[in-house]
Amino acid sequence: MDRNTVRVLEIDGGGERGYLPLQFFRRFVQQWGVDPTKIAEQFDVICGTSVGGIMALSLAFGLTPDEMVPFFTTQGPYIFSLSSVIPSLRPNLAAKLALIATNTPFYQSSGATAENYGSGLLYKTIQTTFGTNTLQDLKTNVIIPTYKFDTQNYILCSNLNYPEFNGRNELISNVAIATGSAPIYLPSLTVTNSNPISAGLLNGEYIDGGVYQNNPAQFGVTLGKMVKPNANRFCILSLGTGIGELGFDPGNPDVMDVRVADVMSTSAISFDSIETIFSLFEISSTGGQESVSKSLSLESLYTLDQTYYYRFQPQLDPNKNTELDNTDPDILVYYEELAEQVFNNDNDNISTFIGHLTA
């Protein structure tokens, strides 16, 4: 690849809403005309957070966008479900309040069918996808944020050997789960068998990278400069999961969650309080990711640096349940249609960016 150009692909977090940028990227790759099996070879750095981190690792591992679709359409409805036989069976609002009060993740699975729904299915899917491969088996450079909850440390995982990074010899699956363990929705990841000497993840408890940085595009650019210190051109494709409400999905009103049935009527936490907490989380998370986007956009538009930046980040319909755990068929159709609409409406700018990307 051109030694003077750094090419970065970044994907935000957002749960099931990751299906939206995936649909956009499928169209982007088709117009770009590159071999979908060799996407990793087209970028010096692929980075992402939470579901975006899982997608980034998948692409760096060699999966095609088409091969990633079932993660959202087949596994997704059972990952965000209370049942191994009924897809998209989500706790109702009262149950969610009670689960929060009892510090129980919404989609923590257990029992004989644990691997067929909830967090168990997420772990099984990720572990089956990556097997025993480590970050050293990836086909390009990556940087993936996560958060070490037990020691309150912000962690950057990468396959490059720098003292500021962790996990260069860690299992890809561990890094994927670590960045994708969304608090409240999914249980944290506890790593117990990592060897610090091999530069894996330090043993401990990890939660979603979105509490660190939900848009690690700037980290990706910096890593690209470390890999290509003489580069003077920078092309950044940044894929968001849409601007809109991340939670609080009303779930299924008639569902009784047996885990908290005895405390649902006595929970002292009000929905208004939870809604306020979630809104503050959304503001901080969205503000953090969009500040990175604005900085790169300003650099692209108004500096003399050769920075070419394209950001996919549509405004979501406020009348639809676009919360990160909604996997209903109609919301997936909406994401497909929205991705196509944005792609078609902005085709001129997309074509211009592809020109910079391939120059």
Side-chain angles (χ1 to χ4, degrees):
M1 294 182 69
D2 179 8
R3 294 181 179 179
N4 296 320
T5 302
V6 168
R7 296 171 177 85
V8 176
L9 170 63
E10 181 276 330
I11 311 173
D12 290 11
E16 184 70 11
R17 278 172 30 181
Y19 189 59
L20 175 60
L22 177 60
Q23 289 298 321
F24 177 88
F25 190 57
R26 291 177 73 200
R27 290 163 174 79
F28 184 94
V29 170
Q30 183 176 16
Q31 179 154 321
W32 189 6
V34 300
D35 184 342
T37 67
K38 297 182 179 180
I39 289 173
E41 299 176 14
Q42 310 304 317
F43 293 98
D44 300 288
V45 180
I46 301 181
C47 53
T49 299
S50 194
V51 71
I54 296 171
M55 295 166 69
L57 291 166
S58 298
L59 291 168
F61 188 58
L63 269 66
T64 69
D66 284 352
E67 289 173 326
M68 294 163 60
V69 168
F71 180 73
F72 296 98
T73 59
T74 303
Q75 281 83 38
Y78 287 96
I79 291 172
F80 291 115
S81 180
L82 302 176
S83 169
S84 62
V85 295
I86 304 174
S88 303
L89 188 68
R90 303 184 298 279
N92 63 34
L93 288 179
K96 286 185 173 180
L97 293 178
L99 288 166
I100 292 171
T102 58
N103 196 30
T104 305
F106 296 166
Y107 303 105
Q108 182 170 7
S109 53
S110 62
T113 61
E115 288 192 342
N116 298 325
Y117 77 102
S119 57
L121 176 58
L122 174 65
Y123 299 165
K124 177 184 177 182
T125 301
I126 289 174
Q127 290 162 350
T128 299
T129 298
F130 298 117
T132 58
N133 291 285
T134 73
L135 294 192
Q136 291 302 306
D137 297 305
L138 298 176
K139 301 178 187 301
T140 192
N141 307 301
V142 299
I143 189 162
I144 309 291
T146 186
Y147 183 73
K148 195 167 186 289
F149 188 66
D150 52 347
T151 59
Q152 300 183 10
N153 287 335
Y154 298 99
I155 302 294
L156 290 172
C157 297
S158 178
N159 45 0
L160 294 185
N161 185 15
Y162 289 90
E164 293 79 7
F165 301 150
N166 288 90
R168 68 179 183 272
N169 292 317
E170 185 57 76
L171 292 173
I172 303 171
S173 58
N174 273 352
V175 175
I177 296 170
T179 194
S181 296
I184 298 178
Y185 294 92
L186 297 163
S188 59
L189 169 70
T190 299
V191 178
T192 59
N193 59 353
S194 186
N195 181 1
I197 297 176
S198 68
L201 287 177
L202 299 178
N203 293 337
E205 182 182 5
Y206 291 83
I207 62 173
D208 196 282
V211 304
Y212 183 0
Q213 177 50 262
N214 206 43
N215 173 1
Q218 192 66 64
F219 284 134
V221 173
T222 300
L223 191 67
K225 291 178 179 180
M226 294 163 68
V227 173
K228 292 183 174 180
N230 296 320
N232 56 17
R233 293 181 74 253
F234 305 91
C235 297
I236 306 105
L237 175 60
S238 179
L239 306 179
T241 56
I243 298 294
E245 189 175 8
L246 288 171
F248 207 58
D249 178 6
N252 305 88
D254 298 327
V255 169
M256 176 63 69
D257 193 321
V258 296
R259 294 175 295 177
V260 289
D262 58 336
V263 299
M264 283 175 61
S265 60
T266 60
S267 176
I269 301 178
S270 71
F271 175 68
D272 288 343
S273 298
I274 294 297
E275 191 171 38
T276 298
I277 293 171
F278 266 78
S279 67
L280 291 173
F281 170 75
E282 289 168 12
I283 291 169
S284 61
S285 177
T286 302
Q289 70 189 32
E290 294 312 301
S291 64
V292 171
S293 176
K294 180 60 71 174
S295 175
L296 290 170
S297 177
L298 291 172
E299 182 177 337
S300 175
L301 291 171
Y302 300 114
T303 73
L304 297 179
D305 294 341
Q306 294 186 75
T307 299
Y308 306 102
Y309 178 67
Y310 186 87
R311 173 75 164 164
F312 169 77
Q313 183 70 312
Q315 186 73 43
L316 303 177
D317 186 343
N319 297 313
K320 296 185 180 296
N321 289 336
T322 57
E323 294 85 359
L324 63 83
D325 60 337
N326 185 3
T327 60
D328 290 339
D330 61 338
I331 202 66
L332 297 183
V333 171
Y334 168 67
Y335 292 150
E336 291 177 13
E337 293 175 346
L338 181 58
E340 184 174 13
Q341 176 186 335
V342 172
F343 192 91
N344 291 338
N345 290 346
D346 204 30
N347 196 263
D348 288 345
N349 288 326
I350 293 168
S351 297
T352 298
F353 179 78
I354 289 176
H356 293 304
L357 198 60
T358 56

